[in-house]
Every structure is written in C-alpha cells, then in structure tokens.
Amino acid sequence: MSSVLLAILDPIDSLLLAPGTLSQPNKRWHSAFVTIYSDSNFKIDQTSLTKLVKDKNVENLENIGGVLRVASTLETNVEFGIPADLVDIAHRHEAFGQNTYERPPTKSFFNFIVEAFKDLTIFILLGCAALSLAFGIKEHGIKEGWYDGGSIFVAIFLVIVVSSTSNFRQNRQFDKLSKVSNNIQVDVVRAGRRQQISVFEIVVGDVVCLKIGDQVPADGLFLDGHSLQVDESSMTGESEPGEVNCSHPFFISGTKVVDGYARMLVTSVGMNTTWGEMMSSINRDTNEQTPLQARLNKLTSSIGKVGLAVAFLVLVVLLVRYFTGNTEDEKGNREFNGSKTKVDDIVNAVVKIVAAAITIVVVAIPEGLPLAVTLTLAYSMKRMMADQAMVRKLSACETMGSATTICTDKTGTLTLNQMKVTKFWLGKESFLANAYSSIAPYILELFHEGVALNTTGSVFRPNSGSVIEFSGSPTEKAILSWAVLELNMEMKQLKQSRTIIFIEAFNSKKKRSGVLMRRMVDNTTHVHWKGAAEMILKMCSSYYDASGIIKYLDDGEKMKFEKIIEGMAASSLRCIAFAHKEVSEESNGDDEECKKLEEDGLTLLGLVGIKDPCRPGVKKAVEDCQYAGVNIKMITGDNIFTAKAIATECGILMPGQDILGGAVVEGEEFRNYTPEERLEKVDKICVMARSSPFDKLLMVECLKQKGHVVAVTGDGTNDAPALKEADIGLSMGIQGTEVAKESSDIVILDDNFASVATVVMWGRCVYNNIQKFIQFQLTVNVAALVINFVAAVSAGEVPLTTVQLLWVNLIMDTLGALALATEKPTKELMERPPVGWTEPLITNIMWRNLLAQALYQIAILLTLQFKGQSIFDVTEKVKDTLIFNTFVLCQVFNEFNARKLEKKNVFKGIHRNRLFLGIIAITIVLQVVMVEFLKKFADTERLNWVQWCSCIGLAAVAWPIGWIVKWIPVPQRPIFSYLKMKKI
C-alpha cells in the first residue's frame, strides 16, 4: 500500500518541481502533469485514499507521512479546515465525487400497472371480457358486438389506472420522505469556522467534528480527540465498540460514536466509501405492512369468502334457470331450447352468467380497504411533515392513536432549549453580572481553564468584528458565551498555553465531564471537573471563596451548598458546578496509561444556574393530551427540584400533588424498587428526576407490562434502548443524535412537545378515517350482495350489469377512499379515550350506522326491482337504469353520513375539505355521463327530469335516516363477544 502511494506521490512531486534539464519527451509529460494537477489541485487519487482506509493498515499510513501528510496532499489545514469558497469545493467534487449514494431506480408507473394485473379477480374478469368480446362480435358483428366485452375492458382499465396511479404517487411520497430522513446535519470546520452543513455537502478534505451519538458521515482519518468509542456493528457485526485514536485512526462511514469526541479528516465520500457500496444495493422498503393493514387484510379475506359464497350461489341459480328454460331473451323467447340451441348461444349465455357472478365477487371483496389505508398513511405522512413530524416507520402513524402514556424528556421538548446563565455563586456568595471584577484573578483563571478546556463546544471570532459565534450543545453554548462575554475568557490563548493530557467525556450516565491538563508556564498538572451540581459537590472536600481562599467543606457547609442548589433548582434553573484540583505528575502515571481522573478531594470552584424557559403552548398541549386520556410522564436527568418546578409549570404536576406521595421519584429510588413495587407505583409517577437511560427503559417495560401503549421521546444515544422498547419512539430532530433518530419511529423536527400532541391527534385521525371508509364500503358491499342474490334467485337475472358494478366498485374503492381517507384531524378526536389494540375495527356504532343504511338501500332497490316498472310506468331497461342510478346516488349521499361516525351534524367542517367536495362533484358528473351519454357502454337508458328527481329524492332519505339512527344507543361491549359467550 505504502509503495503504491509513494509511487504516486513522489513522481508527482518530482514532476511538479522538475528542473529545466529534462529531455523533450519528459518536458511534455511534465507540462501535462502540471496542467492536470494545477487544475485539480490534489496530489493523490481516490483509489489510493479508499484503499488506505479500507485496509486499516497503520504502517502504510506512517510510511507516507501519516495523517498530516494526507491532509497536506488534500490541501487541508487541520486546524482551519478547507477554504469555504465554491471553486475549491467544485474541484473536490470533480476529483473525488459527491457524498451521495446511487440507489436502485424507484418503481416506474408501468411496474404498478403490471402488479395490478396480477390480481386474480382482475385476471378472471379480463378472461370473461375477452370471451364476451369474441362472442359478441361473432353474434352481432364488429360494429355492435364489441359493446359488452369492450365496456368491461374499459371499466377494468379505469380501475387499474386509478389504483396504479394512487400507489405510484404514494411510492413517490415515501421516496421523498426517505431523502429528507437521510439528510442529516454535520458539524465541519471550514475557513476556521465551525458550522453545520448537510451530510450531502461534505467533500474529501473536510474536517468533521464528531461527538456522542453522531453517525460517521464518510470514510476518514482521526485528527484529534479524546475517549472516542465507535460502534462498528452496522459494518463489521462486532457488538463491542472499538476505540479510534492516533494508534488506530480509521473511520468507516455509517458507524456510530458511542463515547467521547474527535475531529476527522474526510478521505472518501459517497460511492467510494464502504457504506456507499452497501447502501447502493439496498432499496428502502415501502411495502412495510402496518398492524392496521394486517387487520384489514383479515377483514377483506373474511368478507371475500362471504362474497365468493354468494357469487357461487348466484352462479348456480342462474345456470339452473338458464338450462331449465326459465330465462327469456329481449323478444320474450325462451333462451335455452335443448338441442335446438346453438353452441355459440349457450357459450355466450354461460360467459355472461359467469361474468355476472365474478363481478359480484369484485364488488363483494373490499379491495379499497388496503388502498384506503395506503392513501390515509401517505396523506397523513405528508401533512405530519408540515406539522413538524417526520414518520420513519408507517406503523407509528396508527399506533400513536392508541397511545395511553407518553414518557417525555424535559430539555428542548418541554423547554425552549435556549439556555442562558442567569445565576453565579462563588463560595456562598451570589454575584451579579456586572460585579465579576471583585473576584480574585487566580479564581477567574481557573474558571477560564475549566470552561475552555473541558468542553466540546467552540468559539469563533470573526475578523470583521461582527458577533462572536458559539457552537456546541445548548448547555455548552450558554456556559461559553457567559465565560467569553462576562468573564472575558480568551479561548484560543488558553488552548495554546495549556496541553490537554486526557479527557473524560460527558454522557448521560455520569452527568459530568473532566479534563487533565498541564500548564506550559510552570509545568503543573491540574484536573477540572464540570457537571450536575449535586454530583460534583459529592466529589469536593473544600471550596474557594470570592477572595480565592480555600475553605474546608464539612457536612454543615455541604448542607448550605445543597440548599443553594435546591433554591436554584426550585427556580427552574439547571445547576452546573465546577471543581478543580492540582495533581502531582506521579499520581497520573503515563499519559497514555492514564484512563481515570481523580474524583475526590476536589475544591469547589463555583456554581452557575442556567435558565431554560418552558416552550409557549406546552401547557396547553399537555392539557390536551390529558383530556384525551393520555398520561404524561416527565423523565429527566435534572435534579428533583428543577424537575418539580418545570413539571408544575407545564401542567404535568398539579401544585401540591407530590404531598400525596409517589408522583415524583428519583431514578435511583425507582431502580431499587422490587418488580412488584414498580408495577404497583408506576401509574402514579408523573416525574422521574435524576434518571439514567436504564431507568427510562425500566419504566417503559413496566408500563407495557401493565397494558399501556407507550410513546417515548428521547434525544441521546443512551435513549436508544427505551426508544426501541417503546411502542412508538419519538426522537428530536434538532438536538437528537443520529443513533436516537435511527432507533425511533417518528422524528419531531422542532423538538417541541406540542408536535408530539399533534402526532397523537394524527394517529387517531388515521384510525378514524379508516373506520369511516370501512363503514361506507361495507354498506355498499352488503346492499350489492343482497340485491344481486335476491334478484338472481327470484327473477333469474342480476339488475346491475358487470360494467355498472365495476363503476360502483371504482367509486367505493378509489374515489370514496380519496374522499374519506383524507379528512383532516379535528379536536373532537381528542375528546375520547385512546383506542385499544384489542378493540374491534368495526364498532357497535359502525354496525348500527351501516346496517340501517344497507337495509334502507336493499328495501328501496328491491321495491324498484319488482314494482319499478308499474310504479314509474317504464320499460324494463329504464327500470334497471333507475335501480343503478338510485344505488349510486345512495352511495353519494351516504358518503356524507360516513364523515361522522357519532356526531349528528355530518356537514360540520365540510367547507374545509375541498377534496371531499371535489370528489362528490366528480362522482355526480361521471354518473350523469354514464346514464345520459354512455347508453351502449353502460347498458343504460336516458332518464327524464321526473325520474332523476325521484332517484335523488330516494337517495337523499339516507341523510334523515343517518340522523335518526344516531339517536339509538348501542352497548359498549362488542356485538361478536356475545356470540363467543354463547359458544362457551
């Protein structure tokens, strides 16, 4: 490897710096090389860079001069990064490619059409249409004979095109969401400034800053950092995290940082990385089946079996009636006369009978149900994106509607995450912002060290004198801005005059971070700690007062400091403590060997209180969730007083509620309960303070054991187990780490609890819309099956033709799904308790509504079937058209009823759903065209104004029936549970 790179680099260097004594051919080569490399600006090719990281051979890296040599060849300044100008970035794109992956092409529209043709019923219908077309042309000639078969073909084509179009659009929607979910933000250093850019904008040569929870965005080499542990299980399968440092400096894209922080030099991006090669062969699974879709498939299968049975009976009855000579043609002659009947006529008649039976199956099988779910989920995902929630797993859309408990984080979710230092205590004395000049210079210097060296944040001072930029976590930014703007800290000078020996990085388990550093001036070694105030206080045996005198910290003094911390916490302040200790060189051992900082005998430097105000609207969102029967539990790492103050402010905790006992606990207390005690007390707990990620996981497990549907919000790497264990994991889009997002089902893009409440409402809306559509479609199914069966058995014919039934199928499958599945969520949804997973999809209320409408439709249509000719004094053909027209218009009017399952006013909010009104209008227009203009195609006769008004009047009765029926009370217990009891 080293010989390959040296073979590349050395000739390049020699050619670029070649003396003037070269021969003529060599001069031409020299000229070509200078042209190439002055254009691309780089002295190393992508293949060598890729091989360098892939082989993970430290010896090869050292042979070519190490990481700094590679940075030099990539024209990267390891401290200031690459220049931020567009020309340089364009050169890097051209030389090394972009950080995007080539994915397999998405399915084309043609693929969805092919899949639609694979449906068995469509396949059988096509066969019947072909036979009908062939016999029709043979019997009546091509001019007249194509109508029956051709009309079936057209109807099938319409069904296929509409369903394929909706599936194609839904697939495109998922692809767009996939691109958004992959577009993560990355910290890079460019032109000396730390900034956030899209992962797709990273180029070879970039200096990337990595911290706990980040996903490594490209292949690269370790520049500097501390305690860096990387989980490479996604690439290597190794479960144990590996350390990345100067001895093992290789980063593989797609791996995750589990501890520490570092800066890396990017050497390969996009398709040149190992992750890129792997991702290009994976296509996002958009065929994921949600629990609701699985339940609907079972329902579809059950209804389909009933439909098949009815269709088979109709087939048998019609065949028996035909072959026993009980059917007549249009002229009144008997159709079957034994051996006198032509074979062509027999086959033609049988094909018509089979087609009618198959069409009944098509209408009976509610194929629109899966389509309705798909449409609802696709529509909801799109709208939820606008409401700051990005769905990563489809099932979460509907599961969120069943959530009974939400375990929420505090920082950034309930609060604004806009932190500012508002209190400062040095010893037992509180200092105001303008009174820091009275503090001893030595103490200020210790503070400067403790802030500047023990941080993952950074400070950028623009040369132009504009506003200083602070980067890092909100807590880090708050402390850095306070130290720079109020304590006059010079971060750059401090870093240059001190050597960092070892860093213990912050994580949510330890709730503290420490640094071991050496001053260059006097060569003394010091330990600085920073973290949760009560944690740091336990490590201290003395404290500094304002004049810099060290005082002994006995139990009595500790109590006083604890009171100060409690007072700050009760004011909703996050309390951070700083501690210091000068240590001897011998006690720390060798720099490389030193893996643990001294944790006792420290001197307390001071306390800072950071204010993080509650988000506006959070209290209202919490109240909405509680009103909807969803319990809110706050789980935070802050101390118990801060937690109680914020929980009370947000409405999670009522004033004085903890006096009753059990509403507020600490993580350690909850952890030490017996399993039985935990199960007994978990429902009462509203706030868990000083919790570890394990405590959060434990609470989720307990709640699930008690039958709750649990949603969890989290932003840290250590929240990943709880996010995975929860029924719905919600990660934070701004402060959330990539590991947390990867473990979650939904990403809350604005980190706001109000968005979590919106997701609950959308989840209920998805479920409610599906129920509306089920009620609407089953009404059609029941009515169509009964009418066709009764008419076939009694009269020997089916009143609704194949094309007419296919048209009804098109209305209820696609247009109905579009109209009802895209209803927006309303506040009414939050007025009822969560829907349990075990509750039936078709409730007693739905059975009441659909049976009332179906019975009315059956009664009217059968009356028209047997008495229609005499009532209206019309021919049989007009009577059949009246039946068809009334049946379709009944569905149009019933579509309004389906909008509200329980509410009597079905028109409320209808003006806001333009899509619904548009679909109703399209349906009516198409029905008029079918009846008035497509006589041959639809097998209809034109109707006069009286007949049209009669059809509309009969169909409109659906509205008063719907209103009256909703006054009838229904039992809470599901109807079918009574049948099970009888079986027992």
Side-chain angles (χ1 to χ4, degrees):
M1 173 62 202
S2 58
S3 58
V4 172
L5 274 169
L6 287 169
I8 292 167
L9 291 170
D10 291 343
I12 289 170
D13 287 346
S14 61
L15 278 167
L16 286 167
L17 305 169
T21 56
L22 290 172
S23 63
Q24 196 60 34
N26 280 346
K27 279 181 179 175
R28 285 199 296 272
W29 275 106
H30 177 253
S31 174
F33 261 82
V34 168
T35 305
I36 292 166
Y37 283 96
S38 58
D39 281 345
S40 67
N41 293 328
F42 307 111
K43 303 175 185 177
I44 190 166
D45 71 340
Q46 183 59 66
T47 311
S48 306
L49 284 169
T50 305
K51 196 171 189 314
L52 182 67
V53 175
K54 209 171 187 179
D55 291 350
K56 292 188 177 180
N57 192 316
V58 180
E59 194 180 329
N60 288 345
L61 181 61
E62 287 173 356
N63 286 341
I64 61 163
V67 178
L68 294 179
R69 168 70 169 168
V70 176
S72 174
T73 57
L74 291 173
E75 299 196 351
T76 298
N77 182 309
V78 291
E79 187 180 348
F80 298 108
I82 62 169
D85 63 273
L86 296 174
V87 175
D88 178 68
I89 289 167
H91 276 156
R92 292 175 190 274
H93 278 157
E94 191 179 342
F96 305 111
Q98 298 189 348
N99 200 28
T100 53
Y101 308 130
E102 292 173 14
R103 290 182 176 274
T106 54
K107 288 181 180 177
S108 66
F109 182 66
F110 179 73
N111 287 114
F112 288 100
I113 288 177
V114 170
E115 282 180 20
F117 272 109
K118 290 177 183 174
D119 191 310
L120 183 63
T121 50
I122 292 288
F123 190 72
I124 297 167
L125 268 173
L126 282 169
C128 289
L131 288 170
S132 180
L133 187 67
F135 286 116
I137 291 169
K138 188 176 179 185
E139 189 178 345
H140 303 292
I142 196 160
K143 194 174 181 182
E144 299 283 330
W146 69 273
Y147 291 132
D148 280 354
S151 56
I152 298 171
F153 271 122
V154 172
I156 293 167
F157 173 75
L158 282 171
V159 171
I160 285 170
V161 167
V162 173
S163 63
S164 299
T165 303
S166 63
N167 283 329
F168 176 66
R169 286 189 54 151
Q170 172 243 346
N171 193 60
R172 292 283 295 273
Q173 178 67 29
F174 290 161
D175 281 346
K176 282 180 187 174
L177 287 171
S178 174
K179 284 175 187 171
V180 174
S181 67
N182 292 332
N183 185 15
I184 60 176
Q185 296 295 304
V186 182
D187 275 358
V188 298
V189 178
R190 286 184 178 177
R193 179 185 166 209
R194 184 163 161 176
Q195 54 190 286
Q196 279 204 332
I197 63 169
S198 164
V199 68
F200 303 128
E201 293 173 22
I202 287 176
V203 292
V204 169
D206 258 324
V207 173
V208 176
C209 304
L210 297 170
K211 61 183 183 302
I212 294 176
D214 283 348
Q215 182 171 303
V216 179
D219 286 359
L221 298 168
F222 178 89
L223 285 172
D224 52 56
H226 293 277
S227 313
L228 194 80
Q229 297 277 325
V230 176
D231 175 11
E232 297 188 351
S233 59
S234 59
M235 300 302 297
T236 63
E238 292 289 333
S239 56
E240 285 297 313
E243 196 164 338
V244 178
N245 49 35
C246 295
S247 309
H248 181 77
F250 305 103
F251 284 102
I252 303 294
S253 63
T255 56
K256 295 177 180 71
V257 179
V258 292
D259 203 1
Y261 63 90
R263 296 191 313 144
M264 70 171 262
L265 172 71
V266 175
T267 57
S268 301
V269 293
M271 293 304 296
N272 296 312
T273 65
T274 315
W275 182 257
E277 289 173 20
M278 189 175 79
M279 288 301 288
S280 64
S281 61
I282 299 170
N283 202 7
R284 187 175 171 86
D285 180 22
T286 56
N287 297 320
E288 172 197 359
Q289 193 176 68
T290 69
L292 188 55
Q293 282 174 321
R295 287 176 77 181
L296 282 173
N297 284 343
K298 283 185 181 176
L299 180 65
T300 305
S301 176
S302 302
I303 296 167
K305 285 172 186 172
V306 175
L308 278 169
V310 172
F312 180 72
L313 282 171
V314 168
L315 178 68
V316 170
V317 169
L318 291 179
L319 286 172
V320 168
R321 287 183 72 92
Y322 174 77
F323 285 110
T324 55
N326 287 318
T327 57
E328 296 175 346
D329 60 18
E330 292 171 3
K331 295 171 185 175
N333 300 322
R334 213 159 67 159
E335 285 188 303
F336 182 75
N337 293 302
S339 57
K340 295 177 184 177
T341 311
K342 293 177 184 176
V343 175
D344 285 358
D345 292 340
I346 295 170
V347 173
N348 208 17
V350 169
V351 166
K352 280 185 180 178
I353 291 167
V354 171
I358 290 165
T359 311
I360 290 170
V361 176
V362 173
V363 176
I365 296 173
E367 289 166 321
L369 288 179
L371 177 64
V373 180
T374 302
L375 284 169
T376 305
L377 292 173
Y379 172 76
S380 302
M381 283 174 76
K382 191 175 182 180
R383 293 307 300 260
M384 283 167 81
M385 196 75 173
D387 285 341
Q388 302 300 316
M390 182 181 73
V391 179
R392 294 186 70 253
K393 290 179 185 169
L394 273 180
S395 54
C397 276
E398 60 204 40
T399 310
M400 200 66 195
S402 301
T404 57
T405 305
I406 298 173
C407 298
T408 179
D409 200 9
K410 175 187 78 71
T411 308
T413 308
L414 299 172
T415 59
L416 279 169
N417 216 11
Q418 294 173 1
M419 298 189 181
K420 187 181 179 184
V421 173
T422 57
K423 279 266 186 184
F424 174 48
W425 288 76
L426 183 55
K428 289 176 283 182
E429 191 178 338
S430 176
F431 281 78
L432 297 171
N434 55 359
Y436 298 141
S437 56
S438 61
I439 299 171
Y442 176 66
I443 301 297
L444 282 176
E445 187 184 10
L446 287 174
F447 259 109
H448 290 172
E449 284 181 348
V451 173
L453 304 175
N454 188 10
T455 182
T456 54
S458 63
V459 178
F460 176 70
R461 289 179 181 269
N463 295 328
S464 60
S466 57
V467 181
I468 299 168
E469 293 179 18
F470 302 97
S471 60
S473 70
T475 308
E476 296 284 8
K477 284 196 280 189
I479 293 170
L480 283 171
S481 63
W482 168 73
V484 169
L485 302 175
E486 297 187 27
L487 301 185
N488 301 315
M489 181 184 81
E490 289 291 340
M491 193 161 175
K492 191 174 180 182
Q493 290 176 15
L494 278 160
K495 286 197 168 185
Q496 287 171 350
S497 60
R498 271 82 172 165
T499 305
I500 293 174
I501 299 167
F502 179 69
I503 286 178
E504 190 169 312
F506 178 91
N507 68 37
S508 52
K509 279 184 185 173
K510 296 177 289 188
K511 302 192 187 303
R512 66 186 186 198
S513 63
V515 61
L516 180 68
M517 45 73 61
R518 188 185 295 117
R519 292 178 185 162
M520 292 179 186
V521 178
D522 54 12
N523 217 31
T524 55
T525 309
H526 302 258
V527 170
H528 282 276
W529 282 98
K530 175 183 77 179
E534 62 268 37
M535 301 283 188
I536 299 294
L537 187 63
K538 288 175 186 174
M539 299 160 66
C540 296
S541 58
S542 56
Y543 68 94
Y544 285 103
D545 67 6
S547 57
I549 298 166
I550 297 177
K551 295 190 175 179
Y552 180 62
L553 191 65
D554 58 19
D555 289 343
E557 294 293 297
K558 272 193 180 178
M559 286 279 287
K560 290 176 185 175
F561 276 104
E562 282 170 4
K563 289 288 180 191
I564 291 170
I565 293 166
E566 283 175 23
M568 289 166 79
S571 305
S572 305
L573 298 179
R574 170 176 280 189
C575 199
I576 306 290
F578 292 85
H580 160 263
K581 184 180 183 181
E582 185 174 344
V583 293
S584 62
E585 196 68 39
E586 292 78 24
S587 66
N588 289 290
D590 187 74
D591 289 358
E592 291 299 319
E593 295 295 321
C594 178
K595 297 292 179 190
K596 192 171 175 64
L597 303 181
E598 289 201 23
E599 296 179 4
D600 50 21
L602 302 173
T603 304
L604 184 70
L605 268 175
L607 307 167
V608 294
I610 300 174
K611 182 70 176 174
D612 186 12
C614 275
R615 285 181 181 272
V618 157
K619 191 168 186 180
K620 174 75 169 60
V622 168
E623 285 171 359
D624 287 346
C625 286
Q626 290 170 337
Y627 182 67
V630 182
N631 294 316
I632 310 295
K633 298 182 188 296
M634 186 177 92
I635 303 174
T636 178
D638 280 343
N639 73 40
I640 199 161
F641 302 101
T642 310
K644 278 170 74 173
I646 294 289
T648 305
E649 198 176 333
C650 294
I652 293 170
L653 205 61
M654 296 300 112
Q657 188 176 346
D658 192 40
I659 296 167
L660 303 170
V664 181
V665 297
E666 285 196 333
E668 189 177 358
E669 184 187 346
F670 183 74
R671 189 184 320 145
N672 292 332
Y673 286 151
T674 63
E676 292 75 24
E677 282 178 319
R678 274 199 291 270
L679 286 171
E680 183 190 332
K681 296 181 179 183
V682 73
D683 281 331
K684 293 177 188 173
I685 296 169
C686 295
V687 177
M688 190 195 284
R690 277 287 168 248
S691 63
S692 70
F694 174 74
D695 300 327
K696 200 171 192 175
L697 177 63
L698 206 56
M699 178 169 270
V700 173
E701 287 171 344
C702 283
L703 288 165
K704 284 181 77 176
Q705 276 179 41
K706 291 206 80 173
H708 289 278
V709 179
V710 187
V712 167
T713 71
D715 56 8
T717 307
N718 292 316
D719 289 325
L723 288 168
K724 280 184 178 176
E725 178 65 26
D727 297 298
I728 314 104
L730 301 135
S731 64
M732 301 297 114
I734 300 169
Q735 280 304 305
T737 63
E738 288 312 310
V739 176
K741 290 175 191 175
E742 199 69 30
S743 305
S744 66
D745 306 304
I746 296 172
V747 179
I748 303 300
L749 298 173
D750 61 355
D751 290 15
N752 190 350
F753 185 80
S755 299
V756 178
T758 306
V759 170
V760 173
M761 195 155 67
W762 270 110
R764 293 188 176 191
C765 180
V766 168
Y767 196 87
N768 194 245
N769 284 352
I770 299 302
Q771 286 189 313
K772 290 174 188 177
F773 183 69
I774 289 171
Q775 180 183 296
F776 169 68
Q777 190 170 49
L778 290 191
T779 305
V780 188
N781 289 138
V782 172
L785 278 175
V786 174
I787 293 156
N788 280 309
F789 178 69
V790 172
V793 171
S794 58
E797 61 180 1
V798 180
L800 299 169
T801 67
T802 306
V803 173
Q804 289 169 359
L805 282 173
L806 283 169
W807 165 233
V808 173
N809 197 42
L810 184 68
I811 293 173
M812 68 185 187
D813 269 12
T814 310
L815 297 180
L818 267 173
L820 294 169
T822 54
E823 284 273 350
K824 294 174 187 175
T826 59
K827 289 182 181 177
E828 292 167 8
L829 294 167
M830 301 296 269
E831 292 174 4
R832 61 186 79 159
V835 179
W837 282 351
T838 54
E839 288 183 37
L841 259 178
I842 309 173
T843 63
N844 290 353
I845 289 165
M846 290 165 69
W847 280 119
R848 176 195 68 190
N849 297 345
L850 78 87
L851 287 173
Q853 293 294 336
L855 288 170
Y856 170 69
Q857 289 180 23
I858 290 163
I860 287 297
L861 297 176
L862 287 178
T863 302
L864 288 173
Q865 169 69 14
F866 297 112
K867 299 289 182 183
Q869 279 180 267
S870 56
I871 292 169
F872 288 96
D873 190 24
V874 291
T875 63
E876 190 174 353
K877 200 75 178 276
V878 174
K879 177 208 73 175
D880 287 344
T881 305
L882 282 168
I883 292 171
F884 167 59
N885 200 32
T886 306
F887 185 55
V888 170
L889 290 173
C890 277
Q891 311 324 318
V892 172
F893 280 91
N894 194 38
E895 218 162 325
F896 286 87
N897 287 328
R899 284 189 72 245
K900 306 283 179 184
L901 299 177
E902 295 179 61
K903 300 285 179 182
K904 295 174 184 70
N905 181 6
V906 295
F907 305 106
K908 188 179 178 181
I910 199 164
H911 60 284
R912 288 195 293 270
N913 194 342
R914 292 179 185 174
L915 183 63
F916 180 89
L917 294 172
I919 285 167
I920 293 292
I922 289 166
T923 307
I924 292 167
V925 168
L926 290 173
Q927 180 61 17
V928 170
V929 170
M930 287 279 283
V931 172
E932 297 295 315
F933 304 106
L934 297 177
K935 181 182 173 184
K936 302 269 187 183
F937 172 76
D939 201 17
T940 55
E941 286 289 332
R942 297 186 76 167
L943 302 178
N944 59 38
W945 281 108
V946 174
Q947 290 160 351
W948 265 103
C949 290
S950 301
C951 292
I952 293 166
L954 289 169
V957 177
W959 284 350
I961 286 173
W963 185 79
I964 292 163
V965 162
K966 283 172 185 171
W967 287 97
I968 301 169
V970 292
Q972 289 290 320
R973 189 176 164 188
I975 289 170
F976 288 104
S977 65
Y978 291 100
L979 298 175
K980 286 177 186 175
M981 287 294 289
K982 284 178 183 178
K983 283 178 188 176
I984 290 164

